Amino acid sequence: MNRQAQNIFVKLCVISTLILGVSACSVYAADLSSTDAIVAIVNDDVITLKDLRQYIGSIASQLKIENKSPEEIRKIMEVYEQKGLDRLIEDKLILAAANDKGIEVRDDIIDKNLKQIEGRYPNEDDFLKSLTTAGMTVSDLRQKLTDQLKIKYEVDMEVRDRTVVNPQDVTDYYNQHISEFARKPSVNLQSVFVSFDRHNKQEARNRADEARSRLIAGEDFNQVFKEYSDGSSIGEVERGQMTQIIENVVFSLKVGEVSDPVEVENGIYVFKAIGISQGGQQSLAEVKDQIYSKLLDDQFQDKFKEWIDKLRQKAYVEIK
């Protein structure tokens, strides 16, 4: 199977995993290849289409078993959708390096990780049912956790522990990118939106007027919102993020003040300001942790790529 076909398979597999469940990957696999085609070779280790399918499926399965949110699963699997084979090759190279060093993971550490995962379920039966649904056993999960921790320890030892950001680096970055830390004026808003799609214009105007009157009278926003709003509350916005007609209104409000109804193309807004910030330059003290995290991550990514490239050069890697 060529690389393009493999990429198509990976995408179909991931999409089916997220939408239909892990078992759907086997359906696509059967359609795309009737044989266990070789997609890569790493040293003496052959990676087949089946291996790739199982690898991606196991990632999705483990995320589900760990009770990750749909959004967390989506973000993680997007990476594997694009780089599934590369990630599998990297994992094999790193795990081999860890095994060469004789890295072991204590049973009590695996037990603790299993307990943490099981603790995300109402009871043990639900946990075991989730494993069965994913086509895994407790032993399978233990082995996967063991391999993942070996990989983590190897990466920590060879890359993360050698990644250092000095305080001067943080200061230099701040001075060189000072405009990035200029905070724009912002207003924190509670909002009620009455949609023209759900109400005719006159009815929408009447509802917006009623909602405004109740907010001015001091009624609880959540109750008014629940009864009248057809959209989510806006929250905090910076100047420049909204249309000019809305900005002219919301940036003229005082804290606690309720706006007149603001009519836009698809409905009517009523705003209440609950916080105002005039903006200004953020100090180094305010943003140093943010800068430190960015520099640390950037340096880690650079060092990791350099290290994994060296592992590839020492190994025999062939992608079919």
Side-chain angles (χ1 to χ4, degrees):
M1 173 176 288
N2 62 33
R3 188 64 181 273
Q4 183 179 8
Q6 174 253 317
N7 285 338
I8 291 171
F9 165 75
V10 172
K11 181 172 287 191
L12 288 172
C13 182
V14 172
I15 291 172
S16 67
T17 296
L18 295 176
I19 297 175
L20 302 174
V22 175
S23 60
C25 291
S26 60
V27 177
Y28 283 114
D31 290 341
L32 287 169
S33 177
S34 58
T35 63
D36 206 6
I38 297 173
V39 294
I41 299 173
V42 180
N43 294 324
D44 297 328
D45 195 359
V46 172
I47 299 176
T48 65
L49 187 62
K50 179 181 178 182
D51 295 328
L52 178 61
R53 170 170 55 85
Q54 289 179 338
Y55 174 73
I56 295 174
S58 70
I59 296 295
S61 296
Q62 186 174 349
L63 294 173
K64 289 182 179 180
I65 291 166
E66 292 177 3
N67 257 350
K68 299 288 187 183
S69 71
E71 180 63 15
E72 287 178 302
I73 293 176
R74 183 188 67 78
K75 287 182 177 179
I76 292 170
M77 294 310 295
E78 275 182 356
V79 176
Y80 286 93
E81 177 182 324
Q82 301 298 326
K83 301 179 179 179
L85 183 56
D86 288 336
R87 286 297 179 91
L88 176 53
I89 291 170
E90 287 178 3
D91 281 359
K92 285 186 174 294
L93 290 173
I94 298 169
L95 184 59
N99 288 332
D100 286 345
K101 286 188 176 74
I103 292 176
E104 298 289 344
V105 182
R106 300 198 316 268
D107 286 342
D108 63 301
I109 295 176
I110 301 300
D111 292 340
K112 182 179 179 181
N113 277 265
L114 280 172
K115 283 293 183 184
Q116 288 176 342
I117 294 172
E118 184 180 334
R120 296 168 188 161
Y121 290 82
N123 52 60
E124 184 181 8
D125 286 343
D126 284 348
F127 167 62
L128 294 175
K129 187 183 297 183
S130 178
L131 275 174
T132 301
T133 301
M136 296 179 70
T137 65
V138 173
S139 295
D140 294 333
L141 184 56
R142 286 189 70 92
Q143 185 59 55
K144 190 161 189 63
L145 289 172
T146 299
D147 290 345
Q148 288 175 344
L149 284 172
K150 284 184 178 182
I151 289 170
K152 178 185 180 303
Y153 295 158
E154 177 69 5
V155 172
D156 285 349
M157 186 186 309
E158 295 295 331
V159 184
R160 199 176 303 279
D161 292 347
R162 302 182 185 187
T163 304
V164 178
V165 175
N166 298 313
Q168 188 60 47
D169 296 332
V170 174
T171 302
D172 290 344
Y173 185 91
Y174 176 80
N175 290 331
Q176 293 164 11
H177 301 81
I178 197 164
S179 62
E180 294 179 11
F181 306 105
R183 208 166 25 201
K184 295 180 180 179
S186 65
V187 58
N188 196 2
L189 299 167
Q190 291 176 329
S191 64
V192 172
F193 177 70
V194 186
S195 171
F196 289 151
D197 290 335
R198 296 192 181 184
H199 315 278
N200 64 53
K201 286 194 174 183
Q202 189 54 53
E203 182 184 0
R205 288 171 182 140
N206 292 340
R207 287 177 62 82
D209 286 337
E210 290 173 12
R212 178 176 182 271
S213 296
R214 290 176 63 174
L215 289 174
I216 290 175
E219 288 196 40
D220 179 63
F221 169 79
N222 291 328
Q223 184 60 42
V224 175
F225 176 85
K226 182 178 179 181
E227 292 184 32
Y228 289 92
S229 190
D230 299 319
S232 57
S233 187
I234 287 180
E236 187 170 6
V237 293
E238 292 184 342
R239 187 177 288 281
Q241 290 183 325
M242 307 186 74
T243 62
Q244 195 61 52
I245 186 173
I246 292 178
E247 286 203 355
N248 289 342
V249 172
V250 299
F251 280 97
S252 66
L253 295 174
K254 298 176 182 177
V255 174
E257 188 176 3
V258 178
S259 75
D260 291 330
V262 182
E263 193 165 320
V264 294
E265 183 178 354
N266 59 339
I268 305 173
Y269 283 100
V270 176
F271 300 101
K272 181 178 180 180
I274 59 174
I276 295 173
S277 172
Q278 299 304 320
Q281 185 66 41
Q282 292 176 282
S283 69
L284 175 59
E286 291 177 288
V287 298
K288 66 179 182 179
D289 290 342
Q290 173 188 335
I291 295 173
Y292 177 84
S293 295
K294 172 183 169 44
L295 294 180
L296 192 68
D297 184 63
D298 288 349
Q299 189 181 144
F300 171 81
Q301 295 299 333
D302 290 343
K303 287 183 177 294
F304 178 82
K305 184 180 183 306
E306 181 181 346
W307 175 64
I308 204 73
D309 285 345
K310 288 180 179 178
L311 288 183
R312 282 177 176 267
Q313 289 169 8
K314 293 178 182 177
Y316 174 78
V317 178
E318 179 183 353
I319 297 176
K320 298 293 187 179

